[in-house]
Amino acid sequence: MRQRTDITQQAVESMTRELQEIQEFTIRIAQGAGKIICEHREEAELTSEFKRGTELVTNADLAADKYISDAIQQQYPGHLIVSEESSPDIGNIQKLKQPVWIVDPIDGTVNFAHGHNQSAVSIAFVNQHQVSVGVVFNPFTDEMFTAQKDGGAFLNGEAIQVAQESNLRRAIIATGFPYEKSNMEPMIRRVREVLNHCADIRRLGSAALDICWVAVGRLDGYYESLSVWDFAAARLIALEAGAKCGNFSEVPEEIDPQFYDQDLLITNEALYPQLLAVLHSAEGH
Ligand code: LIP
């Protein structure tokens, strides 16, 4: 029995070392992408176009995406990449057997293009269908949010934790809105209900940073529907910082909640049921 325990212990130590190496690699490429992003805004000429007529993408997004993808393919040639700009559709992440990287080279692209500093590089590493490493880096504030599964959450190496507010009337709640504005009524109803029950709302323009700000206690809660690359890394960081991460609509049985991109709700344990009830009241529940 002792031998089995030693083998298990060795396996755990090896996996921990491997995750630590992956996190250190991820931090390095997030910093490299951040440098590219800042240089494009400060020195190069920023050019932009609109995907599907409404979604802004700049040459900085594409340059940072290429840098990140090339670095991953060089370091981990057998791994797969889901990236907003170069490979958004590689099928159902939870059915893939290989390790997967989920990348948003610039989350908060509209902010970036308008000279705002609320933008971040978001990179998640998924191993055996589990988001195991999450890194969200804001190069304009030099803030590196990181987490490993079961390893805690950190901002620039300092441990972070969600705010402990339990009174919804004192809570600051963030949200966001899709580029495509055809179905605004339900969103307006939710904003009205949240404003009626909470202290205030923030619309900061980067989901990854909204979720990390919940993790570090700058926001008390967040809700929005997104794409997986917007939240995959930040959701792990929030979980490791003690947040409750769920959805205010039912998650389809066949979908792993780690990758379900509709109606996310992220807050602390005390506020979760209260905020869920407010969002449901906007649906007429
Ligand atoms: C953005 C999100 C934001 C959301 C925007 C957009 P992008 O991601 O971070 O929260 O409200 O509609 O999806 O497009 O800047 O990577």
Side-chain angles (χ1 to χ4, degrees):
M1 181 62 88
R2 179 168 154 59
Q3 192 192 2
R4 239 166 76 88
T5 307
D6 285 350
I7 291 171
T8 307
Q9 184 60 28
Q10 284 167 3
V12 168
E13 286 167 2
S14 163
M15 192 179 75
T16 305
R17 268 196 312 278
E18 187 188 337
L19 274 189
Q20 187 58 31
E21 286 163 11
I22 284 176
Q23 178 170 294
E24 287 164 5
F25 166 78
T26 309
I27 288 170
R28 279 199 310 277
I29 63 174
Q31 288 169 327
K35 187 167 178 295
I36 290 169
I37 289 164
C38 291
E39 285 170 355
H40 268 72
R41 196 159 83 175
E42 288 147 21
E43 296 155 28
E45 187 208 338
L46 207 54
T47 59
S48 55
E49 58 186 12
F50 286 88
K51 298 180 289 188
R52 291 177 283 279
T54 56
E55 288 192 44
L56 183 67
V57 60
T58 72
N59 55 337
D61 292 85
L62 301 178
D65 181 80
K66 183 176 186 323
Y67 167 84
I68 294 168
S69 300
D70 288 353
I72 293 171
Q73 285 160 355
Q74 185 178 358
Q75 187 77 13
Y76 300 103
H79 292 190
L80 297 175
I81 301 173
V82 176
S83 168
E84 177 176 15
E85 304 310 344
S86 55
S87 49
D89 306 307
I90 64 163
N92 186 337
I93 295 172
Q94 55 194 71
K95 294 200 183 320
L96 299 171
K97 294 189 174 22
Q98 306 93 318
V100 184
W101 295 77
I102 304 176
V103 177
D104 190 346
I106 304 180
D107 185 65
T109 297
V110 174
N111 282 352
F112 167 75
H114 285 75
H116 304 186
N117 290 341
Q118 195 73 358
S119 301
V121 179
S122 176
I123 305 172
F125 172 69
V126 182
N127 191 31
Q128 295 171 351
H129 310 136
Q130 170 61 52
V131 179
S132 305
V133 172
V135 168
V136 174
F137 176 52
N138 183 340
F140 302 105
T141 60
D142 196 25
E143 290 189 316
M144 181 72 74
F145 295 90
T146 62
Q148 285 179 33
K149 178 73 176 134
D150 301 330
F154 300 86
L155 168 55
N156 293 348
E158 297 292 321
I160 59 176
Q161 187 187 20
V162 291
Q164 296 306 303
E165 181 58 68
S166 58
N167 179 351
L168 199 56
R169 179 54 66 195
R170 298 279 177 269
I172 304 290
I173 306 300
T175 189
F177 310 105
Y179 289 106
E180 206 280 315
K181 302 275 190 302
S182 60
N183 185 26
M184 287 303 281
E185 265 320 296
M187 283 180 252
I188 301 301
R189 285 202 302 272
R190 286 195 281 268
V191 166
R192 181 173 57 238
E193 285 305 314
V194 170
L195 283 173
N196 277 337
H197 292 85
C198 302
D200 206 344
I201 267 190
R202 294 290 183 271
R203 198 292 191 242
L204 300 171
S206 164
L209 287 176
D210 287 340
I211 298 169
C212 286
W213 279 31
V214 172
V216 72
R218 294 175 186 166
L219 292 169
D220 298 298
Y222 164 81
Y223 70 93
E224 188 174 2
S225 291
L226 294 162
S227 298
V228 68
W229 43 75
D230 294 321
F231 69 86
R235 183 180 181 279
L236 175 67
I237 293 165
L239 279 170
E240 291 297 323
K244 182 174 174 61
C245 296
N247 304 78
F248 57 90
S249 63
E250 195 152 333
V251 180
E253 202 171 284
E254 69 281 4
I255 297 183
D256 181 330
Q258 292 181 101
F259 309 118
Y260 184 57
D261 57 11
Q262 296 303 298
D263 301 334
L264 278 82
L265 172 55
I266 298 173
T267 183
N268 65 34
E269 292 286 348
L271 290 176
Y272 192 92
Q274 300 175 64
L275 197 43
L276 183 64
V278 167
L279 293 167
H280 279 170
S281 69
E283 314 299 324
H285 280 259

